[in-house]
Amino acid sequence: MSSTTTFALIRHGQTDWNAALRIQGLSDIPLNDTGRGQAADAVGHLADYEWDFVVSSPLSRAAETADLIADGLGLTVTRRIGQIVERDYGPAEGLGAGPELDALRLPGGPTGIGGFHGAEAEATVAARGADALLALAEEHPGARIIVVSHGTLIRLSLMRILDRPIGTISNAALTVVAHDQAGWTLDVLNGAPSSTALAPAP
């Protein structure tokens, strides 16, 4: 059996707060109908590959996305993993762009954007997400695993394991990474081959 463990990293489908450009974090906001449709669309992209099982964040928007994907592919959601919940944005949760959010901003961090007063540090999010993926790779060598989580968690985890900048992760878009003894490789980012997705701007 191959020692390469392959992951499809899927951000949950859209919620009403996504549509309104409000920060969600640990707030447990459910999918809306658009998000459920996105989850159904993701099944078509995932069906081009073979997968063994699905895991997800326990937050309802990720859990429902995972359930819809698993049902569409005839797979089982085997675990809800607390380590892959979204970043805790603290008092910034529920806010959209504007003076109230700007007043909470902090500079720095791996993205250069920083964070917010009272929010979980980007480095902490990156570490727990990367650790969760590595643990899955070690527990299931050679497996092909769908992981349904959250945009910031996926983005910061990818930055940690790949040591490169990663842009915004789209709702229900397919990102594929693989782990073996040599480390991590990125094959697909936001539905595009990584050679295209990471190409420098002209």
Side-chain angles (χ1 to χ4, degrees), residues 16-159:
D16 287 346
W17 280 24
N18 286 150
L21 302 180
R22 297 170 65 184
I23 293 176
Q24 291 181 121
L26 293 183
S27 299
D28 201 4
I29 310 304
L31 293 183
N32 59 23
D33 287 341
T34 296
R36 293 182 185 96
Q38 290 171 334
D41 291 342
V43 170
H45 299 297
L46 288 160
D48 291 338
Y49 305 80
E50 294 289 332
W51 302 104
D52 295 316
F53 59 89
V54 184
V55 299
S56 82
S57 156
L59 293 176
S60 63
R61 58 190 183 271
E64 185 178 0
T65 301
D67 291 346
L68 290 167
I69 287 172
D71 185 62
L73 294 172
L75 298 173
T76 300
V77 179
T78 62
R79 199 187 320 173
R80 310 295 185 190
I81 301 176
Q83 272 183 289
I84 61 170
V85 295
E86 183 58 296
R87 182 184 186 185
D88 180 355
Y89 281 94
E93 293 189 14
L95 299 180
E100 191 176 359
L101 185 61
D102 289 341
L104 293 172
R105 288 192 183 278
L106 295 169
T111 64
I113 298 171
F116 302 94
H117 287 283
E120 184 179 12
E122 286 187 322
T124 304
V125 181
R128 64 176 169 82
D131 288 350
L133 292 176
L134 183 58
L136 284 167
E138 292 174 344
E139 291 168 22
H140 305 281
R144 301 182 61 86
I145 307 167
I146 298 171
V147 179
V148 183
S149 184
H150 306 269
T152 298
L153 183 285
I154 294 171
R155 179 171 58 89
L156 293 176
S157 299
L158 288 172
M159 290 175 66

Side-chain angles (χ1 to χ4, degrees), residues 167-191:
T168 300
I169 302 297
S170 302
N171 287 110
L174 175 64
T175 293
V176 179
V177 293
H179 180 271
D180 60 20
Q181 291 181 340
W184 292 92
T185 55
L186 175 67
D187 297 323
V188 178
L189 179 64
N190 265 339

